[in-house]
Amino acid sequence: MTKLTFTADQLVSSTIASKKFGELRKKAKDLPQFITENGAVDTVLVGYPYFEQMFERLTELEEKEEERILNERIDRINQEPNTILIWKEIRREPHEGAIGYSF
């Protein structure tokens, strides 16, 4: 995994962050602010527009990954149709206490 890089100006202890939160929020609109606890980064404060960009990008990447997995499965089924398992044939009979079980 790629390590994040940031400047010393972006690091702030949790004690100072709690005392200067308004100032920290303003800084976070330009650059992410890394809040430390006992010398280790614990929390990252970012402006909302930046958060929206990250969320949109993450959603896009998740959709692409789902599509890749589905296409891979479709290709596998097309190459080896005899490996298809039909859900109704492999599911177990419901047991007492299972959702939808009736006497």
Side-chain angles (χ1 to χ4, degrees):
M1 184 159 105
T2 305
K3 285 280 191 178
L4 292 173
T5 57
F6 43 84
T7 66
D9 292 343
Q10 291 173 271
L11 283 173
V12 60
S13 73
S14 59
T15 304
I16 293 173
S18 67
K19 292 177 182 175
K20 297 184 176 185
F21 189 69
E23 181 182 325
L24 197 61
R25 281 183 50 228
K26 288 178 185 174
K27 286 183 177 182
K29 290 179 182 183
D30 295 325
L31 284 172
Q33 299 299 301
F34 299 87
I35 301 170
T36 62
E37 182 73 33
N38 297 321
V41 174
D42 176 70
T43 306
V44 180
L45 183 64
V46 296
Y48 188 70
Y50 185 71
F51 176 81
E52 277 187 320
Q53 289 174 355
M54 289 190 309
F55 184 80
E56 287 175 15
R57 181 67 176 142
L58 178 61
T59 301
E60 177 185 317
L61 290 171
E62 286 174 338
E63 288 171 358
K64 285 181 179 182
E65 179 64 5
E66 283 180 22
E67 183 178 357
R68 184 195 67 77
I69 290 169
L70 290 173
N71 284 330
E72 185 179 278
R73 289 177 181 173
I74 290 168
D75 289 345
R76 190 173 348 129
I77 287 170
N78 287 335
Q79 291 172 6
E80 301 175 36
N82 59 333
T83 62
I84 297 172
L85 300 175
I86 298 169
W87 171 245
K88 289 181 180 180
E89 293 175 3
I90 62 170
R91 76 170 186 209
R92 291 192 270 173
E93 290 299 316
H95 58 280
E96 189 174 341
I99 296 174
Y101 178 83
S102 60
F103 293 94

